[in-house]
Amino acid sequence: MLRLLSVNFRGLTEHKTLLGLNFSTSSVMAKSKFEYVRNFELDDTCLRNCYIVVRLDGRNFHKFSEQHNFMKPSDNRALGLMSRSARSVMEELEDITIAYGQSDEFSFVFKRSSTWFKRRASKLMTHVTSQFSSSFVYYWKEYFGEQPLLYPPSFDGRVVLYPSNRNLRDYLSWRQADCHINNLYNTTFWTLVQKGGLTTTQAEERLSGTQAADKNEILFSEFNINYSNESPLHKKGMTLIWEKVNETTTKLIKRPDEGETEINVTRTRKKVTSHSCDIIGDQFWEEHPDILESDQC
């Protein structure tokens, strides 16, 4: 037995277990000669006291939307699926305080005090991306019915840090302003094609060099469309936040000499809610002061 120990002592923890020995791991387990490769790993811990934003973008979604016959200029089924997938991410990672999405992108904001995955950028990004992508596939039928998913979509992700509340608000304002610009263009473009009879090339040429006022004028004067009346979902995008909501359920209770009686029970719980509203101005942030954390370190 002693001979066996002397031969197999170097790093073979299986023998330690088989022989019923109780040596400490640090004294018995020798490092593998291959373990040096860990030195190639980079420290990607996100700076403390900063909001961590993970932004996802659909890869080749122009092709994906065409092959899956998305409606133009906006497909509410696809937008609903994007929002549902984002809600799945927030429900999995409760340190995400707000998420904003438009078209084929979504941004997830982790609170500045978050310690999820030890604030490692790669862990946060890959977890958000994989959860979102798998949810997109999982909930596809809920929004597209019997229309088949021809192939799985893919999303790429990036991580950006914002040190102050103003920086974070400006980032989200930038994304919502981008939503408005893109939607106005797409609305005018596809109106020229679908109602004006232009080809896509002709519509592109018609809109080349135009400003927002020009596009609004085309919609109103030629097609009697007031862009202000377009859906807030298309103009403002999707904002998801945590809110306290009251939920009422009916329960059956048994009372002496009275039999079973139905009573309504109301309880409050936190839930991810969706909004299509302005997040550039102050009103939204004043109504939801718990989203942002103090700028005081």
Side-chain angles (χ1 to χ4, degrees):
M1 184 175 180
L2 290 176
R3 182 177 177 81
L4 180 62
L5 275 173
S6 64
V7 172
N8 295 287
F9 195 77
R10 294 189 299 175
L12 300 182
T13 55
E14 296 84 359
H15 288 173
K16 179 187 70 172
T17 304
L18 289 172
L19 294 171
L21 302 178
N22 194 28
F23 294 120
S24 66
T25 303
S26 59
S27 63
V28 174
M29 184 181 294
K31 289 188 176 181
S32 163
K33 68 176 182 179
F34 306 112
E35 196 169 351
Y36 78 93
V37 296
R38 294 182 61 183
N39 296 326
F40 289 91
E41 295 182 15
L42 295 177
D43 180 10
D44 61 348
T45 303
C46 293
L47 189 66
R48 294 181 61 184
N49 203 38
C50 290
Y51 292 103
I52 303 172
V53 175
V54 179
R55 187 166 95 230
L56 304 185
D57 289 281
R59 182 175 178 272
N60 290 332
F61 247 63
H62 178 73
K63 176 182 176 183
F64 182 88
S65 64
E66 286 187 344
Q67 294 188 340
H68 288 88
N69 300 314
F70 281 16
M71 298 175 185
K72 304 293 185 181
S74 298
D75 192 317
N76 288 340
R77 299 170 302 170
L79 294 176
L81 179 55
M82 290 286 291
S83 181
R84 181 63 186 89
S85 301
R87 178 156 62 91
S88 175
V89 174
M90 290 186 68
E91 290 169 346
E92 177 73 15
L93 301 171
E94 295 182 7
D95 264 11
I96 297 173
T97 60
I98 182 171
Y100 176 78
Q102 53 131 334
S103 186
D104 65 341
E105 73 168 57
F106 239 103
S107 297
F108 299 89
V109 181
F110 287 82
K111 56 187 178 183
R112 66 198 316 171
S113 59
S114 177
T115 57
W116 277 77
F117 302 113
K118 298 181 180 179
R119 296 179 68 88
R120 291 188 59 186
S122 57
K123 290 282 190 178
L124 293 166
M125 182 179 68
T126 53
H127 195 102
V128 169
T129 305
S130 62
Q131 182 72 28
F132 188 93
S133 300
S134 60
S135 297
F136 192 96
V137 173
Y138 184 81
Y139 293 109
W140 172 269
K141 192 171 184 179
E142 185 175 319
Y143 291 86
F144 283 85
E146 296 304 315
Q147 180 176 327
L149 180 63
L150 302 178
Y151 58 89
S154 62
F155 296 86
D156 63 68
R158 72 196 70 184
V159 174
V160 187
L161 304 182
Y162 294 98
S164 71
N165 290 339
R166 173 48 56 190
N167 293 152
L168 178 64
R169 283 189 55 180
D170 285 348
Y171 167 77
L172 294 171
S173 297
W174 170 49
R175 300 322 304 145
Q176 187 167 73
D178 187 70
C179 174
H180 163 68
I181 293 170
N182 290 337
N183 187 67
L184 177 58
Y185 180 91
N186 289 332
T187 299
T188 310
F189 178 91
W190 286 106
T191 299
L192 288 170
V193 172
Q194 295 169 348
K195 295 183 178 181
L198 300 186
T199 66
T200 55
T201 301
Q202 290 172 332
E204 187 176 352
E205 292 175 350
R206 175 76 187 280
L207 294 178
S208 178
T210 58
Q211 303 297 318
D214 302 320
K215 297 179 181 69
N216 276 288
E217 180 62 24
I218 291 172
L219 289 172
F220 188 75
S221 63
E222 298 183 26
F223 303 99
N224 197 32
I225 295 175
N226 186 342
Y227 181 74
S228 298
N229 296 331
E230 292 297 296
S231 167
L233 173 64
H234 302 156
K235 294 188 300 181
K236 302 294 185 182
M238 302 159 283
T239 301
L240 305 184
I241 59 174
W242 288 98
E243 287 191 288
K244 291 181 178 180
V245 296
N246 292 326
E247 292 187 341
T248 302
T249 57
T250 301
K251 289 188 175 182
L252 291 174
I253 62 171
K254 291 183 178 181
R255 293 178 176 173
D257 304 324
E258 293 184 20
E260 291 186 341
T261 304
E262 287 187 354
I263 62 169
N264 292 327
V265 178
T266 301
R267 64 177 184 176
T268 302
R269 72 182 187 93
K270 287 183 66 178
K271 185 178 180 180
V272 178
T273 59
S274 177
H275 307 264
S276 292
C277 61
D278 177 73
I279 59 173
I280 297 176
D282 293 331
Q283 182 177 348
F284 172 82
W285 302 99
E286 291 171 354
E287 292 176 352
H288 305 285
D290 55 325
I291 295 176
L292 301 177
E293 296 178 78
S294 173
D295 273 331
Q296 301 297 321
C297 297

